[in-house]
Structures are given as C-alpha cells and as structure tokens.
Amino acid sequence: MSSSAGSSCTPVPSHKQRRRSRRSTGCWDSLDKDSQALSALGRFQTLPLEIFHMVLKYLSGLLFKRCTLLLPTRDRLKYVHKVLSEILTAGWDELECHRVFNFLWELSNLARKVQTVVSSRAGSARKLELRIRLYCRRVLLNHWIHRSDSAFWLTRILKPWPIVNQARLLYIIFGPVSSLDGHVVWQKMIEGPTDETSLKGLAEAIKLLYGTEAREWTADDVISLVDELSVVPQEWLMENNARLLLLSGNNICFTFMASKAVNGRAVELARLMVFMTLVCEKDLYCMDWVVRMMQKVCRVFSTPWERNNFLQCLENAFAHMLMDMLQAVLAGGHDEEDNSFLNLFHLVNAQANFHKEILYLAMRSSPSTT
C-alpha cells in the first residue's frame, strides 16, 4: 500500500552522536545471546531452510530432541514451533491461510475472549488480557520471517472488530507491560511521559499495517486507528502521542499531521508540532527534522491565510506551554519527584533549537549580499 507521502518525505530523524554512543552496548548484548544460541545448535541453525527440511525428513522425534538437548526448554519449543509453522504453511495460498486462522480462532475460543476484554473496563480482566497477548504473539505473530506474513496474521486478528476494539486489542498485544508480572499497563500513556521502549511495539505494528505488505489497510484506516489508539483507555498525554508518531516513521507522521491540516484542526496540529520539538529535544533527535516536517505540512494548506494561521497557532502554542510550565515550576515543591523545572528546561531548549533551524534555513535560501 503506497501513500501520498512517498519518497518525497523528509528523511528519518537521525540521533545525535552522543545518542548513538550512549546505546552502543545494546547490540553487543543481543550479539552475545545469538552467539550462545548458535553455539548450542552448532552450525545447523545457519543452514538454509530448504536444506534443513531435507535433514528433518531423516530425523526421528527422539533424534531431533537430542540435537537440541543443550537449548533451554523455551528455546527448544520456540524453534520447533517455528520450523513446523514454516513447513505447514509454506507455499499456501491466502484462502488456505484463512482456513488455518479460522480453525485456530475457533479452537482457542479467541473470539469470545477478545469480546470479553474489549467490552470490559481496561485492566479488569488482567489475566485474560495477558493470555490473549501471549497467544497472539507466540502462536500467530512472532515467528514469521517475512513482513507480509506478519501483516496477514495481524490483519486477521484486528479486522473482524470495529475501530474502537481494534485500538484496544492493538494495545493489549503490543502495549507496555509490567516488568513484575507481565500484565498490560493501561495508565502508562496517561500518567506521565513515557520512553521509547514502551511505545516501540505499538509503533512497529502501526508501521506494519501502513506498509505495502498490509493490502487490506488504507492510509485512512491506519490514521483512524492511530487516532483511536491515543484515547485508549483515556486520552494520552500529547507528548506520548508525538513520540509514538515519531517512532512510527515519516510517512505515517506526515499523513497524520496532514489530515489535521486538511480538516481545519490548526490549533491541535500546532500543539502536536510543539510536542514534536520537545520529544526531539528530550530524545536527542536532530531538530531540522521537525522544521522539514513543518514545511511539508504547510504545503498542505490550500490558502496562504490557512498557512499563516497555522504558523501563528504554532507560536501561540509555544507561548502557552511555556507559561503553563513556568506556573508549574512556581507552584511546585521542588522535591526529587517534581520534574516541572526539567520539563521547562527542555521546552526552552526545544524552542531555541527549533527557531535556530528555521533561521539557518532562511539564511540558506536568501540571496547572498555583498
């Protein structure tokens, strides 16, 4: 599925150098885990799938069990499930895959379980929410290699439901969970600013549905889903909305903001743009990305008056947010839990860096003087 943003969209915001150095250890951790699994399986893990299938024909169940003896039970089950699922559905047409999904859907009684959680108050059926999350991820979604397969199965899970329930279900499957018991944390987006880790799963799912692999989803479908997601279970903080859009990619971000411009929601769009600058400042993204995104959004407005009105709303939003945060600082107790001064600090820097990039852009585009 293609979008109007296309290849003309501004490049993905790049992290500053200190951000890359700060997170460089993560890749080594994953590399160590991969090397451990590889050493346990020997070189059989790196065989092409076709050759492995040939070998598998000559392995009894007992021999396969012995070949994977050194792996933890969880990894052995995951590996067997992955191989079997690829063997059983490889080369199947879409109709056959539909039948497999319908069979699994009925066998697990998933429709009734999903209906229960999406109709109940968020968090009132925590154990059932967790079961649905684990079943959807471990049985239906996680083991696919190709994005088209992942998109197909995620579509089968979401499409039978109305948009409100789709958003609830998407949050259950991909939203943040507690590090203590694994249950879905519903208040994460409401109580305060969250981090990238809590939003990454949702962002990846949204990108998957927006991509060309998800043929049954239009751009409007995905934008409506993102809009609905931002009020699950209640209205999110605008900063968390902005962070989710930024993580979801340029095309989704632009299409979402352009839809607000087209529908005359200039004030809401201006506030979202200000929070975009705040997220870029906090998460150490380059501020010129926001400026280029603003330029693209400005081209959506059909008249100069609409564009100028949006720019005025943008500056008003900066001023109002600064005053609100200043009042919070003056009213706060300045204890260790009070982040109001830090938020004000980030917003002032965000505004300065945003306008600095605009000045750079203006100077580059103006004719040189002697």
Side-chain angles (χ1 to χ4, degrees):
M1 179 179 63
S2 60
S3 71
S4 57
S7 60
S8 62
C9 197
T10 183
V12 175
S14 58
H15 293 76
K16 295 178 182 176
Q17 186 64 33
R18 61 180 182 274
R19 182 179 179 84
R20 288 200 296 269
S21 61
R22 184 184 65 185
R23 296 199 172 184
S24 59
T25 56
C27 62
W28 296 110
D29 295 338
S30 60
L31 214 61
D32 290 340
K33 293 176 183 176
D34 292 340
S35 63
Q36 291 169 9
L38 182 61
S39 63
L41 273 179
R43 288 295 160 186
F44 285 98
Q45 182 167 302
T46 62
L47 282 175
L49 190 60
E50 294 82 3
I51 298 178
F52 185 81
H53 290 171
M54 295 172 62
V55 175
L56 192 63
K57 292 178 183 177
Y58 300 97
L59 292 181
S60 66
L62 179 60
L63 182 56
F64 185 83
K65 180 180 178 181
R66 289 175 177 173
C67 289
T68 59
L69 186 62
L70 297 178
L71 283 175
T73 302
R74 178 183 297 180
D75 292 342
R76 295 170 73 185
L77 291 173
K78 188 187 304 181
Y79 190 70
V80 171
H81 180 262
K82 178 181 179 182
V83 172
L84 290 178
S85 62
E86 289 171 349
I87 293 174
L88 292 176
T89 60
W92 286 19
D93 62 30
E94 194 167 300
L95 179 59
E96 291 170 323
C97 291
H98 272 278
R99 289 171 178 165
V100 172
F101 176 81
N102 290 336
F103 171 76
L104 294 172
W105 190 261
E106 294 173 7
L107 180 68
S108 60
N109 202 14
L110 200 58
R112 182 183 62 81
K113 295 174 182 176
V114 171
Q115 182 64 55
T116 299
V117 296
V118 297
S119 303
S120 307
R121 181 176 56 84
S124 60
R126 299 171 69 221
K127 291 183 179 179
L128 186 55
E129 290 169 357
L130 181 57
R131 290 196 194 103
I132 292 172
R133 178 188 178 95
L134 295 178
Y135 185 86
C136 289
R137 292 174 71 113
R138 296 180 179 178
V139 177
L140 301 176
L141 297 173
N142 280 3
H143 56 276
W144 299 112
I145 298 174
H146 304 293
R147 290 179 62 82
S148 57
D149 292 325
S150 301
F152 171 83
W153 291 96
L154 181 56
T155 299
R156 301 280 68 77
I157 294 170
L158 296 179
K159 272 297 184 178
W161 306 97
I163 187 70
V164 176
N165 293 347
Q166 286 178 10
R168 285 278 297 271
L169 191 51
L170 196 71
Y171 194 99
I172 289 172
I173 299 173
F174 297 105
V177 294
S178 169
S179 59
L180 299 177
D181 54 21
H183 290 124
V184 179
V185 182
W186 289 100
Q187 303 301 314
K188 189 80 170 182
M189 310 301 172
I190 304 166
E191 294 177 343
T194 189
D195 55 10
E196 291 183 355
T197 304
S198 300
L199 290 163
K200 188 175 181 180
L202 290 169
E204 290 299 322
I206 292 167
K207 284 194 286 187
L208 184 66
L209 297 177
Y210 195 84
T212 56
E213 300 88 356
R215 294 170 296 170
E216 299 175 53
W217 296 80
T218 65
D220 287 341
D221 289 338
V222 179
I223 296 307
S224 297
L225 181 59
V226 174
D227 217 9
E228 192 64 45
L229 184 63
S230 66
V231 293
V232 172
Q234 300 171 29
E235 187 173 359
W236 290 13
L237 294 182
M238 188 69 82
E239 181 177 332
N240 293 333
N241 279 335
R243 187 170 279 109
L244 175 65
L245 286 172
L246 194 145
L247 292 173
S248 298
N250 294 325
N251 290 341
I252 295 173
C253 187
F254 169 73
T255 305
F256 186 87
M257 300 178 85
S259 69
K260 293 188 180 298
V262 170
N263 292 313
R265 298 159 71 177
V267 175
E268 186 178 340
L269 176 60
R271 290 192 72 244
L272 180 58
M273 187 70 75
V274 171
F275 276 102
M276 283 283 187
T277 67
L278 182 60
V279 169
C280 283
E281 179 65 28
K282 282 186 173 183
D283 295 352
L284 303 178
Y285 288 107
C286 293
M287 194 64 71
D288 67 334
W289 178 85
V290 186
V291 174
R292 295 182 188 279
M293 184 61 71
M294 181 194 68
Q295 285 183 294
K296 288 183 64 65
V297 172
C298 282
R299 298 189 191 107
V300 174
F301 293 106
S302 55
T303 65
W305 182 89
E306 289 177 328
R307 182 179 64 249
N308 294 338
N309 178 61
F310 162 68
L311 294 175
Q312 183 63 59
C313 290
L314 182 62
E315 294 304 320
N316 290 342
F318 266 118
H320 291 157
M321 281 184 59
L322 284 169
M323 291 301 299
D324 289 343
M325 288 189 179
L326 180 59
Q327 290 178 357
V329 169
L330 295 175
H334 305 295
D335 54 24
E336 293 182 359
E337 299 298 323
D338 184 18
N339 294 319
S340 55
F341 182 79
L342 185 60
N343 287 334
L344 178 61
F345 171 80
H346 283 308
L347 184 59
V348 170
N349 280 334
Q351 185 183 37
N353 289 326
F354 177 71
H355 287 103
K356 178 187 70 177
E357 293 296 336
I358 292 177
L359 290 174
Y360 284 164
L361 189 65
M363 293 301 294
R364 285 196 297 267
S365 59
S366 63
S368 58
T369 58
T370 57

